[in-house]
CSV table of all heavy atoms in Angstrom, one decimal:
chain,number,residue,atom,x,y,z
A,296,TYR,N,-8.6,-3.7,21.9
A,296,TYR,CA,-8.3,-3.2,23.3
A,296,TYR,C,-8.8,-1.7,23.4
A,296,TYR,O,-9.0,-1.1,22.4
A,296,TYR,CB,-6.8,-3.2,23.7
A,296,TYR,CG,-6.2,-4.5,23.4
A,296,TYR,CD1,-5.7,-4.8,22.1
A,296,TYR,CD2,-6.0,-5.5,24.4
A,296,TYR,CE1,-5.1,-6.1,21.9
A,296,TYR,CE2,-5.3,-6.7,24.2
A,296,TYR,CZ,-4.9,-7.0,22.9
A,296,TYR,OH,-4.3,-8.2,22.7
A,297,ASP,N,-8.9,-1.2,24.7
A,297,ASP,CA,-9.2,0.2,24.9
A,297,ASP,C,-8.1,1.1,24.5
A,297,ASP,O,-8.3,2.3,24.2
A,297,ASP,CB,-9.6,0.4,26.4
A,297,ASP,CG,-10.7,-0.5,26.8
A,297,ASP,OD1,-11.8,-0.3,26.3
A,297,ASP,OD2,-10.5,-1.4,27.6
A,298,CYS,N,-6.8,0.7,24.7
A,298,CYS,CA,-5.7,1.6,24.4
A,298,CYS,C,-4.4,0.7,24.3
A,298,CYS,O,-4.5,-0.5,24.6
A,298,CYS,CB,-5.5,2.6,25.5
A,298,CYS,SG,-4.9,1.8,27.1
A,299,ASP,N,-3.4,1.3,23.9
A,299,ASP,CA,-2.1,0.6,23.7
A,299,ASP,C,-1.6,0.0,25.0
A,299,ASP,O,-0.9,-1.0,25.0
A,299,ASP,CB,-1.1,1.6,23.1
A,299,ASP,CG,0.0,0.9,22.2
A,299,ASP,OD1,-0.4,0.1,21.4
A,299,ASP,OD2,1.2,1.3,22.4
A,300,PHE,N,-1.9,0.7,26.1
A,300,PHE,CA,-1.4,0.2,27.4
A,300,PHE,C,-2.2,-1.1,27.8
A,300,PHE,O,-1.6,-2.0,28.3
A,300,PHE,CB,-1.5,1.3,28.5
A,300,PHE,CG,-0.8,2.6,28.1
A,300,PHE,CD1,-1.5,3.7,27.9
A,300,PHE,CD2,0.6,2.6,27.9
A,300,PHE,CE1,-0.9,4.9,27.5
A,300,PHE,CE2,1.2,3.8,27.6
A,300,PHE,CZ,0.5,4.9,27.3
A,301,ASN,N,-3.5,-1.0,27.7
A,301,ASN,CA,-4.3,-2.2,28.0
A,301,ASN,C,-3.8,-3.4,27.0
A,301,ASN,O,-3.8,-4.5,27.4
A,301,ASN,CB,-5.8,-2.0,27.8
A,301,ASN,CG,-6.4,-1.2,29.0
A,301,ASN,OD1,-5.6,-0.7,29.8
A,301,ASN,ND2,-7.7,-1.1,29.0
A,302,GLN,N,-3.4,-3.0,25.8
A,302,GLN,CA,-2.9,-4.0,24.9
A,302,GLN,C,-1.7,-4.7,25.4
A,302,GLN,O,-1.6,-5.9,25.4
A,302,GLN,CB,-2.6,-3.3,23.5
A,302,GLN,CG,-2.3,-4.3,22.4
A,302,GLN,CD,-1.9,-3.6,21.1
A,302,GLN,OE1,-1.0,-4.0,20.5
A,302,GLN,NE2,-2.7,-2.6,20.7
A,303,MET,N,-0.8,-3.9,26.0
A,303,MET,CA,0.4,-4.5,26.5
A,303,MET,C,0.2,-5.4,27.8
A,303,MET,O,1.0,-6.2,28.1
A,303,MET,CB,1.5,-3.5,26.8
A,303,MET,CG,1.9,-2.7,25.6
A,303,MET,SD,2.1,-3.7,24.1
A,303,MET,CE,1.5,-2.7,22.8
A,304,LEU,N,-1.0,-5.1,28.4
A,304,LEU,CA,-1.4,-5.9,29.6
A,304,LEU,C,-2.3,-7.0,29.3
A,304,LEU,O,-2.9,-7.6,30.2
A,304,LEU,CB,-2.0,-4.9,30.7
A,304,LEU,CG,-1.0,-3.9,31.2
A,304,LEU,CD1,-1.7,-2.9,32.1
A,304,LEU,CD2,0.1,-4.6,32.1
A,305,ASP,N,-2.5,-7.2,27.9
A,305,ASP,CA,-3.5,-8.3,27.5
A,305,ASP,C,-4.9,-8.1,28.0
A,305,ASP,O,-5.6,-9.1,28.2
A,305,ASP,CB,-2.9,-9.7,27.8
A,305,ASP,CG,-1.8,-10.1,27.0
A,305,ASP,OD1,-1.8,-9.7,25.8
A,305,ASP,OD2,-0.9,-10.8,27.4
A,306,MET,N,-5.3,-6.9,28.2
A,306,MET,CA,-6.7,-6.6,28.7
A,306,MET,C,-7.6,-6.4,27.5
A,306,MET,O,-8.0,-5.3,27.2
A,306,MET,CB,-6.7,-5.4,29.6
A,306,MET,CG,-5.9,-5.6,30.9
A,306,MET,SD,-5.5,-4.1,31.8
A,306,MET,CE,-7.2,-3.6,32.3
A,307,GLN,N,-7.9,-7.6,26.9
A,307,GLN,CA,-8.7,-7.5,25.6
A,307,GLN,C,-10.2,-7.1,25.9
A,307,GLN,O,-10.7,-7.3,27.0
A,307,GLN,CB,-8.8,-8.9,25.0
A,307,GLN,CG,-7.5,-9.2,24.2
A,307,GLN,CD,-7.7,-10.5,23.4
A,307,GLN,OE1,-8.8,-11.0,23.2
A,307,GLN,NE2,-6.6,-11.1,23.0
A,308,PHE,N,-10.9,-6.7,24.8
A,308,PHE,CA,-12.3,-6.6,24.8
A,308,PHE,C,-12.9,-7.9,25.1
A,308,PHE,O,-12.3,-9.0,25.0
A,308,PHE,CB,-12.8,-6.1,23.4
A,308,PHE,CG,-12.7,-4.6,23.2
A,308,PHE,CD1,-13.1,-4.1,21.9
A,308,PHE,CD2,-12.1,-3.8,24.1
A,308,PHE,CE1,-12.9,-2.8,21.7
A,308,PHE,CE2,-12.0,-2.4,23.8
A,308,PHE,CZ,-12.4,-1.9,22.6
A,309,ASP,N,-14.2,-7.9,25.4
A,309,ASP,CA,-14.9,-9.2,25.7
A,309,ASP,C,-14.9,-10.1,24.4
A,309,ASP,O,-14.9,-9.5,23.3
A,309,ASP,CB,-16.3,-8.9,26.2
A,309,ASP,CG,-16.2,-8.3,27.6
A,309,ASP,OD1,-15.2,-8.6,28.3
A,309,ASP,OD2,-17.1,-7.6,28.0
A,310,PRO,N,-14.9,-11.4,24.6
A,310,PRO,CA,-14.8,-12.3,23.4
A,310,PRO,C,-15.7,-12.1,22.3
A,310,PRO,O,-15.3,-12.3,21.1
A,310,PRO,CB,-15.0,-13.7,24.1
A,310,PRO,CG,-14.6,-13.5,25.5
A,310,PRO,CD,-15.0,-12.1,25.9
A,311,ALA,N,-16.9,-11.6,22.5
A,311,ALA,CA,-17.9,-11.4,21.4
A,311,ALA,C,-17.4,-10.4,20.3
A,311,ALA,O,-17.7,-10.5,19.2
A,311,ALA,CB,-19.2,-11.0,21.9
Side-chain angles (χ1 to χ4, degrees):
Y296 309 83
D297 301 295
C298 71
D299 209 45
F300 305 114
N301 282 9
Q302 188 181 137
M303 300 314 146
L304 294 171
D305 285 327
M306 294 166 66
Q307 282 189 15
F308 282 178
D309 291 335

